[in-house]
Amino acid sequence: MPRHLSVGMKFKKRHEVENFAAFVHRLSKNVEQIQQRPVANVIDFGSGQNYLGRTLASPPYKMHVTAVERFHHNISGAKGMDVYAKIREKDKIIRNKKEYRKQLQAQSSGQDHVEPTSQPAAIMAVDPDSDRPHLVAVDSQSGAEKGSITYIEHEIKDGYLEPIIQDIVATHTVTPAEATANALSQKPNTNNNDISLSMVVSLHSCGNLIHHGLQSLCLNPSVSAVAMIGCCYNLMTERLGPAPYKLPLLRSLHPRLQKTSEACDPHGFPMSKKFETFSHKHGQGIRLNITARMMAVQAPYNWGHEDSQAFFTRHFYRALLQRVLMDRGVVHQPNEPDGIAGGSLGGVDTIGTPLTVGSLRKSCFASFPAYVQGALAKLVEHPTYGEHIREKTKDLDETTLAAYEADYQTAKKKLSVIWSLMAFSAGVVESLIAVDRWCFLREQENVSHCWVEPVFDYVHSPRNLVVVGIKRVGVQE
């Protein structure tokens, strides 16, 4: 990968972009052979800084990319890197300097309006992005020797994209102004014969975003294939609900949390009917609680000695701090007969409000007393419980904390073993998620081919499974 494309990428990102860009290009050629029509556009879900789209639009691929991104600052940053990659020309600002200075002076003095002189007015406003609409479509095609990139600022909430992309992906003969106007007005396009084939791709879609991408194959006439790589399984929602975030006795009784815990998200896991109707001894349907989904993002086969030691030490210190706070009366042990919770997750009040420590400096993990000192420095600043925590922990010293660490040192090994066993279930949980998505595509009548395969080296990028689906020939809906 040339330097002007790899700028800003770490080795992991470069490995992912290089391999996935080559895979997308090969897949587009296969789709063209199956559909007997060229794939005119690649739609990148959640493009971010658009590393993938920029690579696909550059030689040797020279593809036309539509980058759909939620955050405006990501699009602005991506456009700047497009200029560096020579895909987009740098915007030129031509001003009448005298008139421009006059406008600036008027703005600084608070004047609402300045009469123009006989000379031409300033061509560009002070802030060219101030009146930019929410939906932005900018064509950065720079010539026949390269591809093109079109940016759309949009928050993806489902898989139906036609009102947003149809006038941009339908043809490359329209001007950028026409494409933007049509997209903003959501003008319908009912002539399916004029719709170019598109392929939806995504590199590490977070949470439900990959579900929207897979559903786009069935909901959009212009989409002929999908290739999605997921990540952040902990951000997925549950379709069959309720979502079991914690043991019931440890949940907060806040009405909002109670309502969301009972919600069933139609875009959540599982996607397929097979997983939804699967019968087992506990009932019907496959569910994954938050612990299982958090474990799915682990990569235990990449763990080394040093990072494992640091990881388990952090968890041991946090668990031991909870023990200290419970002995001091800061938090309360849950009232449950079987002792399944052990009091380690008790709250500071009767409704189980947890204490959140958050991130700490690296120096805080040098020893347990240093960790407690750093954690308490944050906890005593709590607006509600800060004074209570300060009063209960004011006589803690290093000797007492060292005694705690010595007494519970054997628990560190037990914690490490339990964490390792949970982490080794990551492959099982991730396989369930990938199979569910594959089953969803198999169940669709308009899908002819679907499969799952690894595209990255697990050592460099553990989330390496791509889910691929290709629409049947001649199917538009």
Side-chain angles (χ1 to χ4, degrees):
M1 181 181 292
R3 172 63 182 170
H4 65 274
L5 289 179
S6 62
V7 63
M9 299 187 197
K10 295 184 178 179
F11 178 80
K12 176 178 179 291
K13 176 60 69 174
R14 179 171 179 173
H15 173 78
E16 294 167 349
V17 171
E18 281 183 331
N19 285 274
F20 194 46
F23 177 85
V24 170
H25 185 258
R26 292 195 305 269
L27 179 62
S28 67
K29 297 304 180 183
N30 294 336
V31 173
E32 290 177 3
Q33 293 179 359
I34 295 173
Q35 298 284 348
Q36 295 298 310
R37 293 170 61 191
V39 175
N41 303 278
V42 176
I43 304 169
D44 188 1
F45 262 35
S47 58
Q49 295 293 322
N50 200 31
Y51 295 118
L52 176 63
R54 194 172 302 110
T55 303
L56 289 172
S58 302
Y61 307 120
K62 303 178 184 178
M63 304 182 75
H64 300 288
V65 179
T66 301
V68 183
E69 170 58 32
R70 174 184 178 184
F71 297 107
H72 179 72
H73 66 272
N74 282 340
I75 295 178
S76 298
K79 289 178 182 176
M81 286 188 281
D82 290 344
V83 174
Y84 185 82
K86 299 180 180 179
I87 299 176
R88 176 187 179 89
E89 294 184 359
K90 187 175 181 180
D91 295 335
K92 296 181 180 179
I93 302 176
I94 304 176
R95 298 188 183 95
N96 181 321
K97 294 183 178 180
K98 293 183 178 180
E99 190 68 27
Y100 180 67
R101 292 194 193 98
K102 194 173 183 179
Q103 290 181 9
L104 290 179
Q105 292 174 358
Q107 290 180 5
S108 61
S109 61
Q111 298 181 22
D112 295 333
H113 179 69
V114 177
E115 290 294 334
T117 62
S118 58
Q119 298 179 355
I123 294 177
M124 193 109 182
V126 177
D127 184 4
D129 292 332
S130 60
D131 295 326
R132 187 180 297 274
H134 175 70
L135 180 63
V136 183
V138 181
D139 196 319
S140 58
Q141 188 171 356
S142 60
E145 74 279 2
K146 294 182 180 179
S148 66
I149 301 176
T150 300
Y151 289 96
I152 297 180
E153 184 178 335
H154 174 68
E155 181 177 1
I156 301 171
K157 297 183 178 180
D158 54 40
Y160 185 61
L161 301 175
E162 289 301 313
I164 300 166
I165 66 171
Q166 63 177 353
D167 292 292
I168 295 177
V169 303
T171 176
H172 287 283
T173 60
V174 298
T175 65
E178 291 173 341
T180 303
N182 292 337
L184 290 172
S185 62
Q186 297 187 354
K187 177 182 176 181
N189 188 344
T190 58
N191 189 0
N192 289 334
N193 294 328
D194 295 336
I195 297 178
S196 302
L197 294 184
S198 302
M199 184 166 62
V200 173
V201 302
S202 186
L203 177 55
H204 289 158
S205 302
C206 290
N208 290 351
L209 188 58
I210 190 173
H211 296 175
H212 302 327
L214 296 176
Q215 290 168 348
S216 68
L217 181 62
C218 310
L219 299 177
N220 301 280
S222 61
V223 177
S224 61
V226 293
M228 312 290 293
I229 302 177
C231 72
C232 301
Y233 303 124
N234 54 305
L235 299 180
M236 290 193 314
T237 57
E238 291 286 329
R239 184 161 69 95
L240 304 181
Y245 291 103
K246 293 181 179 179
L247 295 172
L249 58 97
L250 297 179
R251 293 179 190 161
S252 172
L253 300 180
H254 192 282
R256 178 181 59 83
L257 297 179
Q258 185 71 18
K259 182 178 180 180
T260 55
S261 68
E262 296 176 355
C264 300
D265 188 349
H267 302 292
F269 174 89
M271 295 185 69
S272 65
K273 287 289 184 181
K274 187 175 184 63
F275 275 52
E276 178 186 1
T277 59
F278 183 81
S279 298
H280 47 83
K281 65 179 182 179
H282 298 294
Q284 185 173 340
I286 297 178
R287 297 172 173 84
L288 296 175
N289 61 22
I290 183 60
T291 303
R293 285 183 274 119
M294 289 184 66
M295 289 299 104
V297 301
Q298 296 293 329
Y301 297 101
N302 287 350
W303 288 0
H305 176 74
E306 293 184 1
D307 52 353
S308 299
Q309 184 70 17
F311 178 81
F312 294 136
T313 299
R314 290 196 300 269
H315 282 276
F316 172 63
Y317 284 172
R318 180 62 184 91
L320 190 54
L321 172 63
Q322 197 75 7
R323 179 80 249 181
V324 173
L325 295 178
M326 192 175 71
D327 291 345
R328 293 278 165 163
V330 176
V331 297
H332 309 285
Q333 184 170 1
N335 296 321
E336 40 89 23
D338 299 328
I340 187 172
S344 61
L345 293 176
V348 293
D349 48 34
T350 57
I351 64 174
T353 303
L355 285 177
T356 302
V357 175
S359 60
L360 297 175
R361 299 187 306 274
K362 187 176 181 179
S363 59
C364 293
F365 297 96
S367 64
F368 182 61
Y371 176 83
V372 174
Q373 182 180 3
L376 291 180
K378 296 183 67 175
L379 293 176
V380 296
E381 298 298 328
H382 194 283
T384 305
Y385 308 107
E387 287 301 322
H388 173 68
I389 295 173
R390 190 192 305 273
E391 180 66 24
K392 293 289 186 179
T393 59
K394 62 182 180 180
D395 58 341
L396 278 176
D397 53 26
E398 291 194 9
T399 304
T400 303
L401 296 175
Y404 266 99
E405 185 175 10
D407 292 341
Y408 288 94
Q409 189 62 39
T410 56
K412 182 179 180 180
K413 181 177 180 181
K414 297 179 181 178
L415 182 147
S416 303
V417 171
I418 294 298
W419 252 102
S420 299
L421 290 175
M422 290 195 301
F424 276 106
S425 68
V428 177
V429 179
E430 185 175 23
S431 298
L432 280 173
I433 296 172
V435 170
D436 170 60
R437 294 165 177 174
W438 174 69
C439 288
F440 169 79
L441 292 176
R442 283 196 64 191
E443 294 168 355
Q444 310 307 312
E445 295 182 357
N446 60 351
V447 176
S448 61
H449 301 76
C450 59
W451 69 90
V452 179
E453 66 172 290
V455 290
F456 308 139
D457 188 335
Y458 182 89
V459 174
H460 302 312
S461 182
R463 308 282 80 80
N464 62 352
L465 297 178
V466 58
V467 184
V468 182
I470 302 176
K471 188 174 289 184
R472 293 188 185 276
V473 178
V475 176
Q476 295 292 336
E477 296 179 355

